[in-house]
Amino acid sequence: MTAQPHADHPGPAIERTFTAVRAALPAANVTAFDAELAAITHADVVDLAALDDFLTGWWRIAVRAAADPDDWQRMHAEAEQIRSGRRPAGPSLAEVLARRGAHR
């Protein structure tokens, strides 16, 4: 496969291969990548659609993280603050839509 440039994500092009995607991931994400890949590939029958979805999803993460590493780190730091209770979670999507008068 070849690199998949994406107009919304300026930054280095990352080839859509397992090796390239894993190498481009932030260190904090590599363990999750490896665990998910192992779960898919160690099944009695490998689900190729699941394997393709796995690669596509992680490729998107790698591209996003590489486009703005500082923003990626900031987003994870904020998520950890919310999980730990040091920062309150923001309003839900339903609450935001209700404030705007949108109906779902």
Side-chain angles (χ1 to χ4, degrees):
M1 292 187 186
T2 60
Q4 305 287 322
H6 196 286
D8 293 341
H9 299 287
I14 298 170
E15 190 175 352
R16 196 175 167 270
T17 65
F18 295 98
T19 304
V21 168
R22 187 181 187 282
L25 287 172
N29 297 107
V30 172
T31 300
F33 176 94
D34 290 345
E36 190 176 339
L37 180 59
I40 293 169
T41 58
H42 287 103
D44 290 337
V45 176
V46 175
D47 180 347
L48 296 179
L51 196 57
D52 187 55
D53 289 345
F54 164 84
L55 182 58
T56 298
W58 281 103
W59 174 79
R60 288 179 179 148
I61 290 169
V63 168
R64 170 66 178 81
D68 191 344
D70 292 337
D71 185 56
W72 185 256
Q73 291 298 340
R74 190 171 32 260
M75 185 252 323
H76 277 282
E78 289 176 11
E80 180 53 36
Q81 290 172 353
I82 292 168
R83 271 193 297 274
S84 69
R86 293 188 316 261
R87 177 181 176 167
S92 69
L93 177 59
E95 292 169 330
V96 171
L97 292 175
R99 283 187 213 151
R100 293 183 177 194
H103 301 284
R104 248 185 130 183

